[in-house]
């Protein structure tokens, strides 16, 4: 897959490229973006982090990591990671979008497209995403993209000195 045009505002999903580092850092180095992401998401997000991410994203075998671009500048990221062992028919979806692009309908359309790509490219029947409590926008995105709330895991997350619930959203195709 080289590029996929999304039905909004010239947004394109594509593989990561050398040259994406500056716009990646510009949008990823934001505490509002990192707030609802795993601690493995660097903060601050440096140029070196961007170089490492692009190298990793394009090497992964059991994952599909794409840049979300607008006018060929990175404004976010989305990925699907196929699971292993007894979970081999499931994959985890993760994503983020630069703050200035929030509430514009972009991510819902991106997630819908990525769901189709995941089911086409991986031998899976279940796609899931974790949402930290308090991240209402992400819950809305997933619900609009056809995901259902499967469970709420109480105090499953410890971030920034506080416990949060984790919501599990799923979409299943058998």
């Amino acid at each position: 897959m080289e590029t996929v045009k999304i039905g909004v505002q010239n947004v394109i999903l594509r593989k990561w490229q050398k040259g994406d580092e500056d716009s990646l850092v510009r949008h990823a180095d934001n505490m509002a973006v990192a707030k609802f992401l795993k601690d493995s998401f660097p903060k601050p997000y440096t140029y070196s982090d961007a170089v490492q991410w692009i190298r990793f994203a394009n090497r992964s075998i059991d994952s599909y990591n794409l840049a979300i671009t607008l006018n060929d500048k990175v404004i976010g990221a989305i990925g699907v990671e196929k699971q292993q062992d007894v979970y081999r028919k499931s994959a985890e979806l993760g994503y983020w979008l630069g703050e200035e692009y929030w509430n514009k309908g972009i991510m819902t359309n991106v997630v819908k497209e990525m769901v189709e790509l995941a089911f086409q490219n991986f031998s899976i029947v279940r796609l899931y995403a974790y949402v930290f409590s308090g991240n209402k926008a992400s819950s809305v995105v997933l619900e609009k993209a056809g995901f259902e709330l499967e469970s709420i895991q109480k105090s499953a997350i410890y971030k920034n000195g506080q416990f949060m619930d984790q919501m599990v959203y799923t979409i299943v195709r058998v």
Side-chain angles (χ1 to χ4, degrees), residues 14-84:
R14 64 162 169 75
K15 286 188 169 191
W16 291 92
Q17 303 171 355
K18 185 155 180 50
D20 285 341
E21 296 85 358
D22 289 334
S23 56
L24 173 55
V25 171
R26 178 172 174 254
H27 295 291
D29 189 28
N30 179 328
M31 289 304 292
V33 169
K35 179 180 180 180
F36 292 118
L37 298 176
K38 294 176 182 174
D39 286 343
S40 58
F41 187 84
K43 55 185 180 314
Y45 201 102
T46 66
Y47 188 87
S48 175
D49 294 321
V51 169
Q52 289 176 1
W53 169 251
I54 292 167
R55 193 174 301 136
F56 167 80
N58 288 330
R59 259 198 324 238
S60 298
I61 295 170
D62 283 336
S63 63
Y64 215 50
N65 296 295
L66 300 176
I68 303 169
T69 67
L70 176 63
N71 301 323
D72 207 35
K73 296 290 183 198
V74 171
I75 62 169
I78 190 163
V80 173
E81 183 176 344
K82 191 169 185 292
Q83 301 302 292
Q84 303 295 319

Side-chain angles (χ1 to χ4, degrees), residues 77-124:
I78 190 163
V80 173
E81 183 176 344
K82 191 169 185 292
Q83 301 302 292
Q84 303 295 319
D85 202 300
V86 296
Y87 305 106
R88 65 186 164 271
K89 295 296 183 179
S90 295
E92 180 180 356
L93 173 72
Y95 53 86
W96 63 267
L97 189 65
E99 186 175 12
E100 67 191 81
Y101 300 98
W102 293 357
N103 301 311
K104 298 183 185 305
I106 294 171
M107 192 51 82
T108 297
N109 288 299
V110 167
V111 167
K112 286 178 181 178
E113 187 62 43
M114 195 62 163
V115 166
E116 295 307 314
L117 289 171
F119 283 115
Q120 287 170 16
N121 291 291
F122 290 126
S123 177
I124 60 171

Side-chain angles (χ1 to χ4, degrees), residues 152-159 162-167:
I152 298 174
Q153 301 168 335
K154 298 292 184 184
S155 297
I157 296 165
Y158 185 75
K159 185 165 174 92
Q162 45 184 301
F163 288 98
M164 289 187 268
D165 295 345
Q166 175 172 268
M167 294 163 293

